[in-house]
């Protein structure tokens, strides 16, 4: 058990070191730019402890987590799905359109919207998988290109059509421009009713997204599939050594396509918290979550629990840095610096810990070898004919 | 690099000094002695061949000569001066150049750019002086009669031409001694002739050539003298006068072969594996496996002998299912499995010990128990339906650990922490405990220590007794003869002989393996008489 504790501490040490290092470097940056780092961090932490801000952080962490899992599924197999960005936006617009056309009872309506989003995300990512398997096109290239097509092409074209027939509301905002609104039955209710008995009233119009629970479910499913199923084993084996996996009966091509489709299905869910909050897809729809997800997956080592940590840190920085604009203690952009440094430092720290662990294991193995005695238990000779039974 | 004082240290060839003189070179790797007290002398201006089976220590010796590795013991003299290379740069400075078996050329650059890469002549402002480079290149290629167009893109060149570029690259840097690592392995016969013509011209211009080869007829054609290595030792250095391919083959294989263990034959009538007219590759090129048919019975070990690269790997891949044959079929217990995928084949009872355990056998960064499941992850005790049975897998890994003496602190350490021998015992354990019908074992004891080797042999022999059919591929003749019930010799993708290990002689085995039995008609008769 001492052993287990050691392993856990060792695993946790890398991100913690990375975080401390990032705070240190950012402090230097803040000092150099004439701000007081302690005041800035103090403002951020104080702000983050407010109930309303916690809800904001969780709302931000939910899609980041989903996006992180989407990226991690690919990473586990050495596939780089850069297309999460395009996949979730395209999935959101299609599911918003479908959701608006339907009139179904609550649960079913929500399920249809989520399934459509997953289907669209999976199908678009699957294209990249099929291209890789059949034509040898690197998935990085194809997902980037598909991103460009989906984001710029399709969405722009559709937006134009909606704009023509859409309306601008009384205040002149274009928030009303977009897909038709999804009926109430298609929207997941917020979780305020669930948590307010414990936390007290959240107030000020803040709502904890119902997708939070979906993200938890996705995380649990990811953990179980990855670590407990034959499929997850095949996936990890292919990632660690594709040649050994092939010799062990894993079909590399099938794994590539399946992993891309699964990654895309989770990516399809990334836009859902926004869609459920807005009730439609509009030009203000949240963007850049796909790239945030890659960062979060890296920080969390593609591990279901690690990504929780990564997405909470990033969400905390995203949300609580907003207070800096109001308090004036530092520039808000400091959070980008911190996020960047955390990532860099984490990559370095993970490598350091990995090497340390390898050395440690090698030492233990050498000890075990020494303990069991140096003479082999066989009546060994140097030729097979001597060693016979 | 240090130089002795016994001759001028200016690096210029001194008349009558041998180009290279090695004495007592010894190099050990963990568990393996690659070179054991090797001594040889290469005279200036001669073509000197180094022969030996795979694993005889040829490549290690060349790497020591080229400064890529340093010897543990022994001395090395170049043109009479004692040298101690720290890196290939030291060797290049003394005029030694090496052409590797796998070319190291940048496809997208021209011949000229490739040749000057790393040794670019510059003019003012650090710009490359291509005119000077081209002039020098043409001078070199004319004086040695090596015909290339400096402006060709390397990607447009054939294999033989690329090799010529590699040779020019070395000469361009002023090499006087050329080391060619199996230069003919990648060439078709016409290209070999062209290479030999080039080699003769190089020799005429005073270059010394040292080359590795195990195709004996080629060695006899081109070499002035021949050094034979076996098990890391120099067996002989002979002038190429009156030597026959059979003489060399016998020297390579050894004059004494181990006699197989006298045990009761466990071979049954049940055919477990049948390979029928199997051909892999082809379609323009020479097929890697050429119309091979063989049978392995339950309780039988069939050993495949052959110099590496004669189709053994491809045959194994076609049986395991990682490569589809272009013709022919594979039957397991009477069922045609030619069109089945790897997983179905593994599930129907093919156990596989790959030739390179790091490449195909293990998930190095994964824990041992996950490695134990590899290849069997669809069946109990590793799986329960759709799920991995972690408890079952761990328990079974402990069984393997105990039964096959895998020395490890626990089964949660990653596979890379184990020594080669323990990794191999883990692989053999997982394969033999999977209740297989057929074991395909490629070089099962390569690179492991003697204790582990004996353990692996013991397990294989026990499995044979229990009725397992085994196809054993090995470059270790002791292993092949000691374990096999039947030995099949492969040469250039085809089966050239089927021999009984109890009365095989070094002469016949060596002759078949190196193609000497086929190439030289006058000796074929007495060779064929033996089996």
């Amino acid at each position: 058990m001492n052993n287990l504790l050691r392993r856990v501490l060792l695993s946790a040490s890398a991100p913690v070191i990375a975080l401390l290092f990032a705070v240190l470097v950012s402090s230097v940056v803040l000092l150099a730019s004439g701000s007081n780092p302690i005041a800035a961090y103090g403002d951020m932490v104080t702000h983050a402890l407010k109930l309303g801000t916690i809800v904001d952080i969780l709302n931000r962490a939910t899609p980041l987590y989903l996006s992180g899992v989407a990226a991690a599924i690919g990473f586990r197999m050495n596939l780089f799905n850069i297309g999460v960005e395009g996949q979730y936006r395209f999935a959101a617009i299609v599911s918003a359109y479908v959701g608006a056309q339907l009139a179904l009872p609550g649960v079913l309506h929500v399920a249809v919207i989520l399934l459509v989003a997953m289907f669209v995300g999976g199908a678009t990512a699957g294209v990249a998988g099929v291209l890789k398997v059949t034509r040898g096109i690197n998935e990085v290239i194809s997902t980037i290109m598909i991103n460009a097509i989906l984001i710029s092409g399709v969405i722009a074209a559709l937006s134009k059509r909606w704009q023509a027939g859409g309306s601008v509301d009384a205040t002149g905002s274009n928030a009303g421009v977009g897909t038709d609104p999804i009926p109430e039955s298609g929207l997941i209710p917020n979780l305020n009713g669930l948590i307010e008995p414990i936390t007290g009233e959240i107030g000020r119009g803040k709502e904890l997204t119902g997708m939070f629970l979906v993200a938890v479910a996705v995380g649990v499913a990811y953990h179980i599939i990855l670590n407990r199923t034959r499929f997850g084993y095949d996936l990890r084996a292919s990632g660690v050594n594709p040649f050994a996996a092939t010799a062990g009966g894993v079909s590399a091509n099938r794994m590539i396509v399946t992993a891309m489709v699964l990654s895309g299905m989770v990516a399809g869910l990334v836009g859902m918290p926004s869609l459920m909050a807005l009730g439609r897809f509009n030009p203000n729809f949240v963007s850049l979550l796909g790239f945030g997800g890659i960062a979060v997956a890296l920080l969390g080592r593609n591990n279901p629990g690690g990504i929780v940590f990564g997405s909470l840190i990033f969400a905390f920085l995203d949300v609580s840095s907003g207070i800096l604009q109001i308090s004036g203690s530092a520039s808000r952009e400091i959070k980008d610096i911190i996020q960047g440094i955390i990532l860099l430092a984490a990559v370095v720290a993970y490598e350091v810990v990995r090497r340390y662990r390898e050395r440690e294991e090698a030492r233990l193995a050498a000890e075990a070898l020494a303990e069991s005695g140096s003479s082999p238990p066989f009546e060994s000779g140097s030729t097979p004919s001597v060693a016979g039974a | 690099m240090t130089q002795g004082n016994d001759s001028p240290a200016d690096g210029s060839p001194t008349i009558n000094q041998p180009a290279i003189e090695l004495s007592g070179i010894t190099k050990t790797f963990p568990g393996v002695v690659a070179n054991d007290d090797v001594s040889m002398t290469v005279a200036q201006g001669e073509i000197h061949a180094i022969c030996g089976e795979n694993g005889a220590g040829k490549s290690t010796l060349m790497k020591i000569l080229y400064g890529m590795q340093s010897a543990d013991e022994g001395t090395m003299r170049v043109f009479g001066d004692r040298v101690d290379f720290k890196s290939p740069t030291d060797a290049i400075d003394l005029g030694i150049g090496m052409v590797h078996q796998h070319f190291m050329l940048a496809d997208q650059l021209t011949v000229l750019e490739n040749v000057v890469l790393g040794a670019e002549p510059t003019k003012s402002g650090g710009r490359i002086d291509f005119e000077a480079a081209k002039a020098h290149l043409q001078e070199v290629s004319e004086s040695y009669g090596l015909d290339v167009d400096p402006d060709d893109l390397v990607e447009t060149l054939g294999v033989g031409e690329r090799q010529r570029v590699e040779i020019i690259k070395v000469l361009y840097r002023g090499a006087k001694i050329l080391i060619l690592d199996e230069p003919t392995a990648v060439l078709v016969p016409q290209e070999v002739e062209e290479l030999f013509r080039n080699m003769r011209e190089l020799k005429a211009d005073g270059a010394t050539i040292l080359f590795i080869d195990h195709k004996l007829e080629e060695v006899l054609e081109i070499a002035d003298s021949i050094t034979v290595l076996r098990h890391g030792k120099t067996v002989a250095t002979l002038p190429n006068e009156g030597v026959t391919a059979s003489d060399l083959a016998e020297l390579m294989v050894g004059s004494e072969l181990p006699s197989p263990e006298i045990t009761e034959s466990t071979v049954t009538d049940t055919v477990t594996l049948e390979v029928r007219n199997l051909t892999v590759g082809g379609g323009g090129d020479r097929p890697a496996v050429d119309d091979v048919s063989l049978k392995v019975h339950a309780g039988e070990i069939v050993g495949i002998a052959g110099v590496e690269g004669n189709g053994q790997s491809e045959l194994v891949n076609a049986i395991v299912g990682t490569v589809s044959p272009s013709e022919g079929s594979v039957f397991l217990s009477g069922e045609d499995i030619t069109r089945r995928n790897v997983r179905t084949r593994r599930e129907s009872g093919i156990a596989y010990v790959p030739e390179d355990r790091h490449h195909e056998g293990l998930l190095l960064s994964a824990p041992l128990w996950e490695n134990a499941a590899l290849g069997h992850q669809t069946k109990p005790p590793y799986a329960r339906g759709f799920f991995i049975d972690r408890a079952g897998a761990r328990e079974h890994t402990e069984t393997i650990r105990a039964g096959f003496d895998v020395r490890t602190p626990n089964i949660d350490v990653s596979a890379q922490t184990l020594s080669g021998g323990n990794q191999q015992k883990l692989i053999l354990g997982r394969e033999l405990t999977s209740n297989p019908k057929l074991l395909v074992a490629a070089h099962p004891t390569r690179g492991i220590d003697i204790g582990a080797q004996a353990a692996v042999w013991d397990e294989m022999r026990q499995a044979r007794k229990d009725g397992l059919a085994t196809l054993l591929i090995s470059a270790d003749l002791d292993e092949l003869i000691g374990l096999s019930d039947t030995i099949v010799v492969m040469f250039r993708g085809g089966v050239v002989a089927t021999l009984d290990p109890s009365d095989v002689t070094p002469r016949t085995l060596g002759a078949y393996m190196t193609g000497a039995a086929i190439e030289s008609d006058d000796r074929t008769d007495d060779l064929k008489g033996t089996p």
Side-chain angles (χ1 to χ4, degrees), chain B residues 155 200 205 247 278 417 433:
Chain B
E155 64 182 354
R200 288 194 186 98
D205 282 297
D247 295 338
L278 196 74
T417 58
T433 56

Side-chain angles (χ1 to χ4, degrees), chain A residues 76-99:
Chain A
R76 278 291 182 164
M77 247 199 81
N78 297 328
L79 288 172
F80 204 157
N81 180 8
I82 292 190
V84 174
E85 187 68 28
Q87 287 149 18
Y88 88 77
R89 290 210 241 170
F90 186 56
I93 200 173
V94 174
S95 57
Y97 178 79
V98 172

Side-chain angles (χ1 to χ4, degrees), chain A residues 32-388:
Chain A
S33 64
S35 308
N36 178 354
I38 299 188
Y41 299 143
D43 285 347
M44 284 170 73
V45 173
T46 321
H47 181 56
L49 290 175
K50 291 181 197 147
L51 185 57
T53 320
I54 292 176
V55 169
D56 282 343
I57 291 175
L58 291 179
N59 281 341
R60 176 74 183 169
T62 299
L64 265 181
Y65 182 75
L66 289 168
S67 180
V69 170
I73 293 172
F75 282 142
R76 278 291 182 164
M77 247 199 81
N78 297 328
L79 288 172
F80 204 157
N81 180 8
I82 292 190
V84 174
E85 187 68 28
Q87 287 149 18
Y88 88 77
R89 290 210 241 170
F90 186 56
I93 200 173
V94 174
S95 57
Y97 178 79
V98 172
Q101 308 303 312
L102 296 173
L104 290 167
V107 178
L108 199 61
H109 200 165
V110 169
V112 168
I113 291 176
L114 296 186
L115 286 175
V116 167
M118 288 168 78
F119 175 80
V120 172
T124 41
V127 171
V130 170
L131 283 175
K132 186 180 176 82
V133 167
T134 56
R135 288 288 174 267
I137 296 167
N138 188 305
E139 76 284 358
V140 173
I141 308 292
S142 56
T143 51
I144 288 178
M145 299 320 283
I146 294 172
N147 263 353
I149 296 168
L150 293 180
I151 297 171
S152 323
V154 181
I155 294 177
L158 293 180
S159 301
K160 199 166 184 181
R161 191 166 64 84
W162 286 316
Q163 255 164 354
S167 59
V168 175
D169 64 17
T171 61
S173 142
N174 66 352
V177 178
T179 55
D180 297 335
I182 299 171
E184 198 65 29
S185 62
L187 302 177
I188 302 183
N190 66 48
L191 301 178
N192 287 13
L194 275 181
I195 57 166
E196 277 179 345
I198 310 164
T199 60
E201 198 185 334
I202 296 169
R204 290 197 297 150
K206 305 234 185 227
E207 298 175 349
L208 178 59
T209 177
M211 283 300 290
F212 179 78
L213 293 181
V214 175
V216 170
V218 166
V220 171
Y222 174 57
H223 168 71
I224 291 176
I225 290 176
L226 189 69
N227 294 315
R228 302 292 150 127
T229 66
R230 276 165 41 183
F231 171 78
Y233 178 89
D234 288 355
L235 186 84
R236 283 181 297 129
S238 309
V240 173
N241 183 347
F243 305 101
T246 305
V250 180
S251 159
N253 287 351
R254 189 186 300 170
M255 290 310 297
I256 288 170
V257 175
T258 319
M260 282 308 277
V261 168
L262 281 179
S263 172
M265 284 169 72
V266 177
L269 293 174
V270 171
M272 294 299 104
S274 254
L275 187 66
M276 295 298 164
L278 294 171
R280 58 156 45 130
F281 189 96
N282 70 21
N284 297 337
F285 202 80
V286 62
S287 64
L288 297 180
L289 285 170
F291 302 113
I294 292 171
V296 161
L298 276 175
L299 196 57
R301 301 240 75 190
N302 307 322
N303 179 305
I307 305 172
V308 170
F309 170 81
S311 53
L312 282 175
I313 292 270
F314 268 51
F316 159 74
L317 290 168
D318 282 345
V319 171
S320 67
S321 61
I323 194 69
L324 296 177
Q325 273 176 320
I326 300 162
S327 75
S329 53
S331 160
R332 180 181 184 170
E333 277 63 40
I334 192 68
K335 67 118 182 173
D336 291 327
I337 297 178
I338 302 182
Q339 287 181 344
I341 297 170
I342 289 181
L343 263 190
L344 275 178
V347 173
V348 174
Y350 282 132
E351 183 60 21
V352 170
V353 168
R354 189 185 66 79
R355 288 189 192 170
Y356 172 78
R357 184 180 282 167
E358 254 174 35
R359 268 203 307 279
E360 193 78 337
E361 276 191 348
R363 191 180 56 77
L364 287 174
E367 275 172 14
L369 202 63
E371 272 166 31
S372 58
S374 54
S375 65
F378 294 89
E379 306 273 310
S380 68
S382 58
T383 63
S385 40
V386 182

